[in-house]
Amino acid sequence: MARIAVIGAGMGALAAAARLAVAGHRVVVYERTDTYGGALRRFERDGFAFDTGPGLLPLPAVHRDLFVKTGKEPLEECVDLVQVDPSSRHVFADGTEVSLPNASRAGVVAALDEALGSGTGERWGDFLVRAREAWDRTRRPLLEEPLWPNWQVLAEREPYPAVPHKRLLRTRRAGTLAEVGAWELRDPRLAALLESHAVEQGLDPRTTPASAAVLPYMEHAFGTWYVRGGLRELARAVYERCVARRVEFRFGAEVTGVLEKDGRASGVELADGAVAEADFVVAGLAPGLLGRLTAGTVLRGDGEVPPQPPAASRLTVLLALRGDRPEGTPHRTVVHAADREADLEALFGPAARRPRPTVTVLRPGDPALVPGPGHEAVTLTTVVPTGPGDARPGEPWGDLAENMITVAERVVPDLRDRLLWQEVRTPADVADATGADGGAVPVPALAAAGGRLLHPSNSTRVPGLFTVGGWAHPGGGLPHAGMSGALVAGLIVEGPDFRGSQ
């Protein structure tokens, strides 16, 4: 039985802790805040409750596997997991809109043809076939295996089979997601639908590789899911599974250093001066934090994965409304920006204001989130820029929040008349919850692009020290965090020759 110290109680760290405890190890989790879940937090006031992190769950099989491997009770016995249908409603700049059925290719094709015109559904369906090929080519090395020592193969090879495109007497293939939208989908609304999957992750579709086609494919193939009571309930269930497997938790315990002895990790030092010895240390931290704890760069990518571009953050507006949610209201509506180019330039360029951003409106219709009948809890989110080391204190968050509400009025009738109160959650709040510089949110790993969207290996230059969570391989997002927990557990239990689940 090994002693394992886990730094942080984010979802990737919890997944690793539960798996390691089942394998017979003594696991202690040190969390600097007073609770678990990382970004999966909850805000409560006057009988209303809101998720302040992710509001929907993609690829639930990752968490089903975690519960199967760590106990008798499956995921569905621990949370009330429901499929969202329609998967999403999209309102485009020209006023047209479409509701997309959940996990139904035929249904999506028919819905697009009806809403956007004949032929649009077929073009989207053909795109999904190509996206599936990219998924099949990258699924194992990007998600299910430790990062390859020859990761350059993933960096140099574009897995998306782009359609040849003739332009100015030249035949070209799409290399970015924006080019896929312009050359293959050939409709600005379909392009906006495609690009929204990248923008939601904080990725600029103009520079994001075509391999990002796997993002809409994942949603199409595996569906979109919700946990009744909010996704905070998923964090609770994973935490309780850890406790049931005798994982120890020390909340309010800030780790200030990773100890080394004889060239390997030997424990952690806490802010109060206490020392906890360990045979292995698992760090669920952003790279900047880990670097400060180790007094140097310990991350490695088996050949130095290129540094990632700065990650974006999110601004969230929580709305407590009087009045019932109308029957048939979609759970998620994406209201696309009126000016696509201006929106992208404001988000990924030097501009600091976004007067008409793309806004995601979540209307769960969950009785557990409101004080009683005659009320509705609505969450608005948009991606915002952030910088290293700060939370952009000069950013006019209040103005942007008001603009988000104005955008949301297009799909929530009488919103301002129904508004009881609002709460704004800024990148500074994300930073408080996760410890990430500037409230940055990690992106999922993607192939191609010279490796700039790969993440450092879960193993590090220091033997016995491993990284887990969204900032490590295979990157950000709830499914990816769960996968990183499985990879770290495998590397510790089975050793460096572990190659992932078969």
Side-chain angles (χ1 to χ4, degrees):
M1 178 180 72
R3 300 166 300 172
I4 300 175
V6 178
I7 307 173
M11 294 300 288
L14 294 180
R19 291 175 182 272
L20 288 166
V22 166
H25 300 297
R26 180 174 180 256
V27 183
V28 182
V29 177
Y30 300 90
E31 166 58 45
R32 65 179 180 85
T33 71
D34 61 357
T35 190
Y36 52 83
L40 281 186
R41 299 296 177 95
R42 174 181 285 154
F43 178 83
E44 298 181 356
R45 174 181 164 186
D46 300 337
F48 290 88
F50 303 84
D51 284 322
T52 58
L56 292 169
L57 177 66
L59 205 57
V62 173
H63 290 88
R64 289 193 180 108
D65 180 72
L66 171 64
F67 277 75
V68 166
K69 299 290 177 57
T70 59
K72 295 180 180 179
E73 303 84 7
L75 176 64
E76 280 79 355
E77 287 188 13
C78 300
V79 298
D80 189 358
L81 189 65
V82 294
Q83 198 167 20
V84 175
D85 201 15
S87 174
S88 59
R89 172 191 178 201
H90 290 262
V91 178
F92 299 104
D94 67 355
T96 58
E97 59 183 73
V98 61
S99 292
L100 302 178
N102 203 335
S104 169
R105 182 181 184 278
V108 167
V109 167
L112 289 171
D113 275 341
E114 181 178 353
L116 307 186
S118 178
T120 56
E122 181 180 2
R123 290 199 295 276
W124 184 259
D126 291 343
F127 158 75
L128 288 176
V129 172
R130 296 188 292 274
R132 177 178 179 176
E133 188 169 338
W135 167 261
D136 290 339
R137 290 174 176 176
T138 60
R139 176 178 58 86
R140 283 198 60 80
L142 278 181
L143 302 180
E144 298 176 357
E145 300 176 347
L147 189 66
W148 289 354
N150 61 333
W151 60 266
Q152 291 88 349
V153 174
L154 293 172
E156 298 165 359
R157 188 174 299 170
E158 172 57 69
Y160 178 76
V163 176
H165 169 75
K166 287 187 178 181
R167 185 182 185 191
L168 299 178
L169 304 179
R170 295 176 57 194
T171 299
R172 303 180 60 185
R173 292 180 182 269
T176 67
L177 205 63
E179 290 173 342
V180 172
W183 299 351
E184 299 180 11
L185 298 179
R186 305 190 309 279
D187 184 296
R189 297 162 300 182
L190 287 183
L193 172 60
L194 171 64
E195 292 180 358
S196 67
H197 291 273
V199 173
E200 182 182 36
Q201 301 289 343
L203 295 169
D204 185 347
R206 300 169 300 182
T207 59
T208 298
S211 64
V214 300
L215 299 177
Y217 174 77
M218 287 173 61
E219 181 173 307
H220 160 76
F222 307 111
T224 303
W225 301 76
Y226 173 70
V227 178
R228 293 198 188 279
L231 258 69
R232 176 65 179 178
E233 287 297 292
L234 177 64
R236 173 199 57 77
V238 177
Y239 167 72
E240 290 180 354
R241 177 55 55 90
C242 287
V243 172
R245 300 286 81 83
R246 300 185 179 180
V247 175
E248 297 180 41
F249 285 86
R250 310 282 173 83
F251 294 109
E254 182 179 0
V255 173
T256 55
V258 174
L259 304 177
E260 295 183 34
K261 182 178 180 181
D262 299 329
R264 64 172 289 118
S266 61
V268 297
E269 183 177 5
L270 304 176
D272 62 4
V275 169
E277 295 182 350
D279 301 298
F280 297 94
V281 176
V282 176
L285 303 171
L289 279 175
L290 182 59
R292 291 193 284 273
L293 296 189
T294 56
T297 301
V298 299
L299 297 177
R300 68 178 175 85
D302 294 309
E304 302 305 325
V305 169
Q308 290 187 308
S313 188
R314 292 184 176 90
L315 187 69
T316 303
V317 182
L318 313 176
L319 304 175
L321 304 183
R322 63 170 64 88
D324 290 315
R325 172 182 181 266
E327 189 71 25
T329 297
H331 188 118
R332 173 177 59 172
T333 298
V334 180
V335 185
H336 293 266
D339 187 330
R340 173 257 189 192
E341 192 63 34
D343 186 51
L344 293 179
E345 190 59 29
L347 175 55
F348 301 108
R353 300 187 62 144
R354 303 178 64 206
R356 291 293 303 276
T358 294
V359 176
T360 298
V361 182
L362 296 182
R363 305 178 69 181
D366 185 346
L369 304 183
V370 294
H375 299 86
E376 184 181 4
V378 176
T379 301
L380 314 179
T381 60
T382 193
V383 177
V384 294
T386 188
D390 63 63
R392 294 177 69 98
E395 189 80 33
W397 299 129
D399 291 345
L400 181 53
E402 283 300 306
N403 287 336
M404 292 168 65
I405 294 175
T406 298
V407 171
E409 286 183 288
R410 294 179 60 188
V411 295
V412 184
D414 304 318
L415 189 158
R416 292 187 187 272
D417 291 338
R418 298 174 57 198
L419 184 61
L420 296 171
W421 51 263
Q422 68 188 59
E423 176 78 15
V424 179
R425 312 296 289 179
T426 72
D429 296 304
V430 178
D432 287 342
T434 66
D437 289 344
V441 178
V443 302
L446 294 172
R452 65 182 176 85
L453 293 176
L454 297 177
H455 289 256
S457 171
N458 305 104
S459 56
T460 71
R461 291 192 181 98
V462 179
L465 174 62
F466 297 85
T467 60
V468 72
W471 296 102
H473 177 73
L478 279 175
H480 297 73
M483 293 170 189
S484 76
L487 292 174
V488 167
L491 288 167
I492 291 176
V493 173
E494 298 188 27
D497 293 333
F498 173 69
R499 289 296 175 263
S501 58
Q502 300 299 320

